[in-house]
């Protein structure tokens, strides 16, 4: 990948302007757009995980000793 020009270099698009006055903002907005899309993807993934945990009760199944059963009211084996 080509090195990004310095602020005061001539712009690579051929406009004759300095890079800072021409395409520098466009390059940065593309980078921020990619970062934003990654953040949205992570947020959606976390949301799916949270919804799945809520639908499954959020608690792992409890193994009670033989002859006892789990009491939802008291949150322990009887």
């Amino acid at each position: 990948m080509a090195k990004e020009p310095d602020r005061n270099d001539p712009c690579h698009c051929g406009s004759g302007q300095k890079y800072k006055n021409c395409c520098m903002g466009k390059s940065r907005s593309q980078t921020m757009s990619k970062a934003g899309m990654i953040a949205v993807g992570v947020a959606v993934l976390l949301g799916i995980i949270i919804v799945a945990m809520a639908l499954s009760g959020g608690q792992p199944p409890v193994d009670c000793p033989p002859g006892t059963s789990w009491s939802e009211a008291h949150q322990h084996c009887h």
Side-chain angles (χ1 to χ4, degrees), residues 48-62 70 72 75:
I48 290 170
I49 291 170
I50 290 171
V51 167
M53 286 179 62
L55 292 176
S56 70
Q59 302 268 340
V62 178
W70 180 255
E72 285 294 327
Q75 296 293 308

Side-chain angles (χ1 to χ4, degrees), residues 1 4-6 8 11-14 16 19-20 22 28 31-32 34 39 50 53 55-56 62 65 70 74 77-78:
M1 187 168 139
E4 185 174 310
D6 291 328
N8 290 318
C11 190
H12 59 278
C13 74
Y19 178 66
K20 67 181 178 184
C22 190
R28 290 195 177 163
T31 302
M32 293 304 292
K34 289 177 187 175
I50 290 171
M53 286 179 62
L55 292 176
S56 70
V62 178
W70 180 255
H74 300 125
C77 295
H78 287 272

Side-chain angles (χ1 to χ4, degrees), residues 35-55:
M37 291 303 292
I38 290 170
V40 168
V42 169
V44 168
L45 184 60
L46 287 174
I48 290 170
I49 291 170
I50 290 171
V51 167
M53 286 179 62
L55 292 176

